[in-house]
Amino acid sequence: GGLYTKTATASLTSAASSITLQNAFNSTYTNYMITIESLIFAAASTSLHFIPIDSSGNATSVHKYAAEGYYANGAQSWRTNSAHAYANISNDVSSGASQNCNGTIHIFSPMDTTAGITSYNWFLKSSKAYEEAGIIYGAGVSSASVAYTGFKLEMSANNITSCKIACYGITNPS
């Protein structure tokens, strides 16, 4: 019962370039919420990518997105109108425990194989530099005709030091 049902979890306790949550999405739910807790970046000046994957763990180069971040020292925005295998959900991050990233990603219809139906949005707390807390939000869409069964969070360079992620199926609208 309830609005959310946990479908998968993962923790990273030693440094790695990515963390994968496979079999997080299935035909039981149409939409999902992903929580990111205490994601710590090993190095600064890199970006965090959200990568939907199919049942074989493959990504597709068909994602377009836009994002914006507001920090204590000003705003930053980034976007793409060309196809990428990821959505850049946090740009030019800062490293260290006090600079951690927390937030949510919602993914809509990841199992639908109609091109242009799968979409996602995110709302994160992240830091750009010198412990400047910031808020980041964005949205993206996949133009692939593929069912996504999981996702990966991956750094553009260097590693993630640690994090906890969980995925929840959202009770289908009636």
Side-chain angles (χ1 to χ4, degrees):
L3 181 59
Y4 300 105
T5 302
K6 191 180 294 183
T7 60
T9 62
S11 293
L12 185 64
T13 56
S14 60
S17 63
S18 66
I19 183 168
T20 301
L21 204 52
Q22 186 56 282
N23 301 316
F25 314 134
N26 56 54
S27 60
T28 303
Y29 303 100
T30 304
N31 305 312
Y32 295 83
M33 179 180 72
I34 300 161
T35 59
I36 301 169
E37 179 184 343
S38 298
L39 190 147
I40 299 172
F41 307 105
S45 301
T46 62
S47 301
L48 179 64
H49 297 163
F50 171 69
I51 306 169
I53 56 175
D54 64 18
S55 61
S56 298
N58 298 319
T60 54
S61 296
V62 293
H63 300 278
K64 296 180 181 182
Y65 58 87
E68 200 155 35
Y70 289 91
Y71 303 94
N73 68 347
Q76 181 181 36
S77 62
W78 58 95
R79 63 194 134 280
T80 183
N81 196 28
S82 59
H84 287 282
Y86 59 84
N88 184 0
I89 63 172
S90 188
N91 200 45
D92 194 19
V93 300
S94 202
S95 61
S98 65
Q99 316 260 332
N100 64 17
C101 178
N102 298 286
T104 57
I105 302 170
H106 288 87
I107 185 162
F108 303 92
S109 305
M111 297 293 293
D112 195 313
T113 58
T114 305
I117 297 297
T118 299
S119 64
Y120 38 86
N121 60 47
W122 59 94
F123 188 80
L124 304 172
K125 174 265 173 197
S126 193
S127 297
K128 188 169 185 285
Y130 310 109
E131 296 186 32
E132 295 171 354
I135 184 170
I136 300 168
Y137 57 89
V141 65
S142 168
S143 58
S145 299
V146 63
Y148 295 110
T149 56
F151 64 93
K152 181 189 303 189
L153 296 175
E154 181 175 82
M155 298 303 298
S156 60
N158 297 304
N159 287 329
I160 299 168
T161 301
S162 63
C163 74
K164 297 177 189 173
I165 55 176
C167 185
Y168 299 86
I170 302 173
T171 300
N172 292 330
S174 48

